[in-house]
Amino acid sequence: MSNTNPPFSPKRRAFCSSTLGFAALGPLSLTACGGGADAATAAAQVAPKRMGGAPGAFVHPGLLHTQADFDRMSQKVGAQASPWIDDWNLMLQNNLASNSWNPGARPVIYRNDGVHGDNVQNLQWDTMAAYLNALQWKINGNLAAANTAVKILNAWGSTLTGINMTDGHWDGYLAAGLQGYQLANAAEIMRGYSGWAAADLATFQQMMINVFLPLTGGFSQLTVFSNWDLSSLAATMAIAVLCDDRTRFDNAVSYFKQGLGNGAIAQMVFYIHPGYLGQTQESGRDQGHNMLSIALVTTICEMAWNQGIDLYGYDNNRVLAACEYSAKGNLIQSGTTYNPVPFVNYYVPGFYFTTFSTSAQGNARPAWALIYNHYVNRKGLAAPYTQQFAQKVAPEGGGRYPQTGGTWDQLDYGTLLFTRDPIAAGAAPSGLSAVTTAGQVVLSWWGSAYATGYTVKRGTTAGGPYAVIATGITDLLSYTDANLANGVYYYVVTASTPSGETAASNEAQGIAGVRLHTRLAFDEGSGTTAADSSGNGHIGTLAGGAAWAPGVSGQGTALALNGNGAYASLPANVVDTVGDFTIAAWVYWNGGQTWSRIFDFGSNSLHYMFLSPHTGRGTLGFAVTLNGSDSEWRVDAPTSLPTAQWVHVAVTLAGTDLTIYLNGAPIQTTANFRMPPFQVGHTTQNYIGRSQFSDPTFSGMIDDFRIYNGAASAADIAALSGSSLPAPMFDVDVGSVAVKGSASLANGVYTVAGSGADIWGNSDGFHFASACATGDGSITARVASIGNSNAWAKSGVMMRATLDGNAQNVMLAVTPGNGAQMTYRGSTGGGTSTVNQLAGITAPYWVRLARAGNTFTGFISPDGVNWTQAGSIDVGMPATVFSGLSVLSHNNPSLNASTFDHVTYA
């Protein structure tokens, strides 16, 4: 670290089956059977540049197929080369490929609209017939086929006026999306045919704009499942190219990357597991729909690729992660057992999925030749499960008249259309990442075509040298480096191939232990920036009226936020490589707010990670989500944040254990929390004091804001807070006090000083040194001395529902002049009542408070041996309460400094 402070020192202050056989594919076994080499080069390819016309002009044909693609197909078919010729012959056997097909255009299409009988099959059959005839024209110059395709397109262009839906019957959106992109592809192929009159093309284009785009142009109106959104997105993109609409095309690309529907890639590929297995949005629903989403998203990627946009590779090949995950989970491992795949619970309104669905498992949509040939034979990457699935469904066939149903959800014959000659050599391993998980460094990477194994190398200096730490890795492309000494490590991966070892991957930095990632001390005192003393350049920017105020204990300065729009921001992607983490800060909250934020890192209202001082559930709450507020992974502390005082707050994640700390003590721990920060993805809105929503901005002050790679220990957090109390105890002022209280421990004696008017009425004011206690138990202490600030000063033991001033509680306390008193508040904000008043008792005296269910019983003793029951009361408090030492002066602004010894919890 570049800062000179010890890492944990306090601040200076202090988601239609086909069984069409098998064909060998890809770099492991595919060889050309006659014909010349295709256009693939020895090197991995990049998306083609836009060509022709004005800047930004579209490539035509340029949806699923370009002219270069047709040249390849024509060459291979002409040379009778397998597997192209095999799939060509299969296609010609389809009755929909007939050059004498007659269209059955309808003015209005009905698909399960709840009123009319379905006629969508007419559109489905004609769309496929137009496409198959268009392919014949482009591949072997069949003019009869060209004229048939044009006849079909003209019939629909001049006839179709609408796609009907009624409330609650929304399948028209699917017809618009699925057949929309398919029709546009057929028309895009035929647009260069001299036999298609310009006026007829224009009429067809206008029909697509008038009928299809109103249902797809805003992308799906129903986004519960990704295939709805993806079909609309595919149609919109295809129609945009067909109609030369650059704005709509660019909007579709932006939606794919950053949209809020479940077809946008960050939602469609919900979660990234080690080895880059991308859990899909529909994988818990059923595999028929899940595989449809795979077919659609890769259709979108290919159309964009042919216009110079690489969506296949976006976000570190996120689409490939989805393909590998879905292919793996739908392939047989042995016998009748499918490959297991990891799964994180997924919620979408109305549905909750806890496992990879076995419904329609093994579903074999003919969509995999496209995927395989892009990633392997264009890019040189390894895609082992995609390869196996492509082999399973090859040669890819298609639906025939009069079939109905899901067979028309995608275009077919991919073996003919997308197969490329094997790439000469694979690319080097790429996309290497290193994430700290449960204290270990977990590596994931993309592999190389032809690789037989991988070698992991590690160094302690950026750029090397590196030492080999693992060899012979095959599947999964992940490695966990465990039992490391604390420090920073640098990793690369190479692949073993028939031609030797590849070049190294990119270098990835891994953290073992805990290392400072960001630290904003907020000591500038002026200006609009806050320096990051970690040396990582994560500079804070003040905005919206954020200002400066005295810091913790009056030393230095702090970030002052007015609750009226003020906040600070951190750079984009500040936690996108962070797994295990610690986030800590000193916080002074004025209170009176619900859902304000201490911090909120995210991009929008779907992807974020936040800590709120007071949620709508009345708690200090931490949450992470990848799919909006209904899908939040939440951890709630037993209380909201104490108000009107500086408190130290921290959140840590160690593997899947998440803990919230208050003033150095753990107050809530939750296991199986599987949402580390890096899963939130590329965050562009990283706020301190502001929400991703229109919640109130934070009112108060924030100081010494820190982020660490790695989960700090309880002792580390205690050191940050400066607490001298033994874990899990901590101390706070509760309610309204005139003077800040304190608590310390030395030589077995607790010294607790508190002001505050009383623990009485509807709200309290006192100082409280406590720990969270769950279930039945007790606290015992000897009140050794009481500061004589008032005859009604109180020092004793308490069990309390929350740290709010009006919380339920039971207390047994000793006073200087009014004996001992047992009191309780039975409801939040209710009055306080006396259980028993015991005269003649002064310090030193022993007190004990015990809980059994909802019964709280007090005991007193002069010697800790002979005990007398002081009273008993039933109060319906939560299972977890705050149990500890309570002190008040009954004389603001004076302090009652009291001492306790023999403090025990049982």
Side-chain angles (χ1 to χ4, degrees):
M1 292 176 287
S2 62
N3 60 313
T4 58
N5 294 324
F8 292 104
S9 65
K11 196 173 180 182
R12 295 186 314 285
R13 28 197 188 267
F15 170 121
C16 181
S17 165
S18 175
T19 55
L20 297 176
F22 170 89
L25 301 175
L28 298 182
S29 57
L30 177 65
T31 58
C33 301
D38 73 9
T41 65
Q45 298 178 25
V46 297
K49 295 182 179 179
R50 292 175 179 148
M51 299 176 294
F58 287 108
V59 175
H60 294 298
L63 287 175
L64 283 172
H65 320 293
T66 65
Q67 186 58 50
D69 295 329
F70 286 120
D71 290 343
R72 180 188 67 247
M73 300 176 214
S74 179
Q75 181 186 43
K76 296 296 186 181
V77 170
Q80 300 287 297
S82 291
W84 298 269
I85 189 63
D86 307 309
D87 212 27
W88 169 261
N89 290 332
L90 187 63
M91 183 186 78
L92 294 182
Q93 295 170 24
N94 192 325
N95 51 13
L96 292 171
S98 169
N99 302 158
S100 59
W101 181 266
N102 289 312
R106 300 289 189 271
V108 179
I109 288 300
Y110 305 109
R111 173 171 170 163
N112 189 30
D113 73 345
V115 176
H116 306 86
D118 284 3
N119 65 2
V120 69
Q121 60 269 21
N122 295 90
L123 177 60
Q124 293 167 338
W125 298 329
D126 282 3
T127 297
M128 186 61 71
Y131 181 66
L132 298 185
N133 275 274
L135 292 175
Q136 293 174 67
W137 171 62
K138 289 297 289 186
I139 293 172
N140 76 352
N142 184 335
L143 294 179
N147 292 329
T148 298
V150 167
K151 178 173 65 174
I152 297 168
L153 296 172
N154 284 344
W156 286 96
S158 61
T159 303
L160 185 62
T161 60
I163 299 173
N164 196 56
M165 287 181 292
T166 59
D167 188 27
H169 297 268
W170 310 115
D171 277 18
Y173 285 118
L174 287 174
L178 296 171
Q179 275 61 64
Y181 93 80
Q182 296 168 15
L183 262 182
N185 267 271
E188 177 70 7
I189 296 171
M190 295 308 302
R191 69 183 300 149
Y193 178 49
S194 61
W196 197 7
D200 291 338
L201 170 59
T203 296
F204 183 87
Q205 290 169 321
Q206 195 62 52
M207 180 275 293
M208 297 297 288
I209 292 170
N210 294 344
V211 176
F212 288 87
L213 275 180
L215 300 180
T216 71
F219 314 115
S220 178
Q221 307 299 306
L222 299 173
T223 60
V224 172
F225 292 114
S226 58
N227 76 87
W228 290 77
D229 217 16
L230 288 165
S231 64
S232 289
L233 181 56
T236 300
M237 180 176 284
I239 295 169
V241 174
L242 176 68
C243 299
D244 292 290
D245 187 336
R246 171 60 57 193
T247 298
R248 199 175 295 277
F249 178 86
D250 290 342
N251 287 343
V253 170
S254 295
Y255 185 88
F256 177 96
K257 295 178 177 179
Q258 296 139 11
L260 300 183
N262 284 325
I265 196 63
Q267 285 80 253
M268 184 256 169
V269 191
F270 167 69
Y271 190 97
I272 304 297
H273 297 275
Y276 295 146
L277 291 178
Q279 181 176 324
T280 47
Q281 196 260 348
E282 299 208 59
S283 60
R285 180 189 183 190
D286 65 73
Q287 299 313 312
H289 288 99
N290 183 37
M291 294 304 227
L292 174 57
S293 285
I294 294 295
L296 289 168
V297 74
T298 49
T299 291
I300 292 164
C301 290
E302 184 69 9
M303 294 190 297
W305 175 272
N306 286 331
Q307 296 300 332
I309 306 296
D310 186 6
L311 299 182
Y312 282 113
Y314 177 73
D315 196 11
N316 193 22
N317 299 309
R318 196 172 185 97
V319 168
L320 180 56
C323 296
E324 286 291 283
Y325 178 84
S326 297
K328 182 175 183 177
N330 281 278
L331 286 165
I332 293 291
Q333 181 183 53
S334 177
T336 59
T337 302
Y338 286 89
N339 289 310
V341 289
F343 194 90
V344 167
N345 293 352
Y346 178 79
Y347 173 84
V348 67
F351 302 90
Y352 183 65
F353 305 120
T354 61
T355 187
F356 188 85
S357 177
T358 59
S359 176
Q361 195 168 15
N363 180 272
R365 287 185 182 270
W368 292 86
L370 168 62
I371 305 165
Y372 171 79
N373 278 279
H374 173 80
Y375 285 110
V376 178
N377 288 330
R378 261 185 188 151
K379 302 300 292 182
L381 301 179
Y385 294 106
T386 294
Q387 177 180 349
Q388 291 178 52
F389 219 91
Q391 291 171 341
K392 175 181 177 179
V393 299
E396 293 183 0
R400 298 170 56 90
Y401 172 84
Q403 286 179 289
T404 59
T407 191
W408 309 110
D409 291 346
Q410 68 282 309
L411 293 172
D412 305 317
Y413 301 101
T415 307
L416 164 68
L417 303 176
F418 303 112
T419 299
R420 296 171 174 271
D421 284 330
I423 195 167
S430 60
L432 178 65
S433 64
V435 177
T436 305
T437 303
Q440 306 171 115
V441 177
V442 179
L443 306 176
S444 296
W445 64 91
W446 290 112
S448 173
Y450 304 107
T452 57
Y454 298 87
T455 297
V456 178
K457 303 176 183 180
R458 181 184 67 213
T460 56
T461 305
Y466 309 103
V468 173
I469 60 171
T471 61
I473 298 171
T474 54
D475 180 53
L476 190 67
L477 299 191
S478 180
Y479 177 76
T480 298
D481 199 7
N483 303 315
L484 288 165
N486 291 351
V488 181
Y489 298 89
Y490 301 88
Y491 299 86
V492 294
V493 175
T494 61
S496 298
T497 74
S499 58
E501 187 177 29
T502 65
S505 68
N506 60 294
E507 182 182 77
Q509 176 183 289
I511 307 294
V514 183
R515 183 175 177 83
L516 190 63
H517 176 80
T518 301
R519 184 184 180 191
L520 306 183
F522 291 121
D523 277 342
E524 287 74 9
S526 63
T528 58
T529 60
D532 171 23
S533 62
S534 74
N536 293 321
H538 300 151
I539 297 170
T541 302
L542 281 65
W548 305 93
V552 177
S553 301
Q555 298 182 36
T557 55
L559 175 68
L561 303 176
N562 58 21
N564 191 32
Y567 66 97
S569 64
L570 284 165
N573 305 323
V574 69
V575 292
D576 68 344
T577 62
V578 177
D580 288 358
F581 74 89
T582 302
I583 300 180
W586 284 96
V587 181
Y588 188 105
W589 181 46
N590 291 325
Q593 297 178 306
T594 299
W595 291 120
S596 67
R597 302 289 200 266
I598 297 171
F599 65 83
D600 191 334
F601 300 159
S603 296
N604 46 50
S605 59
L606 294 181
H607 295 251
Y608 53 79
M609 173 181 79
F610 74 75
L611 181 66
S612 172
H614 184 89
T615 70
R617 299 176 298 279
T619 63
L620 169 64
F622 177 81
V624 184
T625 185
L626 309 182
N627 197 36
S629 59
D630 290 334
S631 299
E632 287 176 357
W633 290 59
R634 301 168 180 159
V635 178
D636 288 324
T639 185
S640 59
L641 192 73
T643 61
Q645 60 190 288
W646 282 108
V647 294
H648 191 265
V649 183
V651 183
T652 67
L653 179 66
T656 59
D657 293 334
L658 189 132
T659 302
I660 298 176
Y661 292 83
L662 182 61
N663 280 349
I667 60 171
Q668 185 65 59
T669 296
T670 298
N672 198 34
F673 192 93
R674 301 177 64 188
M675 283 290 160
F678 79 89
Q679 291 287 355
V680 180
H682 300 298
T683 58
T684 57
Q685 299 174 166
N686 300 308
Y687 301 135
I688 298 174
R690 178 180 172 180
S691 169
Q692 306 294 326
F693 298 86
S694 58
D695 299 308
T697 55
F698 184 86
S699 175
M701 296 172 285
I702 296 175
D703 204 356
D704 197 19
F705 185 90
R706 305 186 187 203
I707 305 173
Y708 291 87
N709 273 295
S713 68
D716 291 334
I717 299 299
L720 276 179
S721 72
S723 174
S724 66
L725 295 178
M729 291 187 72
F730 67 99
D731 67 302
V732 292
D733 287 313
V734 176
S736 177
V737 299
V739 180
K740 176 179 173 59
S742 63
S744 61
L745 171 65
N747 301 318
V749 177
Y750 291 81
T751 300
V752 183
S755 62
D758 210 344
I759 300 173
W760 194 255
N762 305 104
S763 187
D764 311 323
F766 67 103
H767 199 73
F768 194 27
S770 69
C772 289
T774 301
D776 296 346
S778 66
I779 179 172
T780 301
R782 189 179 76 130
V783 182
S785 67
I786 305 176
N788 195 11
S789 57
N790 185 278
W792 277 106
K794 297 174 184 177
S795 304
V797 291
M798 173 183 282
M799 293 186 182
R800 190 173 187 90
T802 74
L803 299 178
D804 296 332
N806 62 353
Q808 297 169 289
N809 70 84
V810 178
M811 180 185 70
L812 178 57
V814 178
T815 71
N818 289 287
Q821 184 184 50
M822 183 174 176
T823 60
Y824 77 99
R825 180 180 294 122
S827 61
T828 302
T832 302
S833 301
T834 299
V835 178
N836 198 1
Q837 186 79 37
L838 300 104
I841 294 174
T842 60
Y845 221 84
W846 293 68
V847 289
R848 175 181 293 163
L849 193 59
R851 179 182 190 176
N854 286 324
T855 299
F856 295 82
T857 305
F859 302 88
I860 57 174
S861 171
D863 54 14
V865 176
N866 300 295
W867 291 90
T868 301
Q869 182 171 318
S872 185
I873 191 68
D874 287 350
V875 180
M877 280 200 248
T880 297
V881 297
F882 295 90
S883 176
L885 310 174
S886 54
V887 173
L888 64 92
S889 68
H890 205 84
N891 184 20
N892 277 325
S894 298
L895 285 170
N896 165 13
S898 297
T899 60
F900 301 79
D901 54 25
H902 300 284
V903 178
T904 58
Y905 287 90

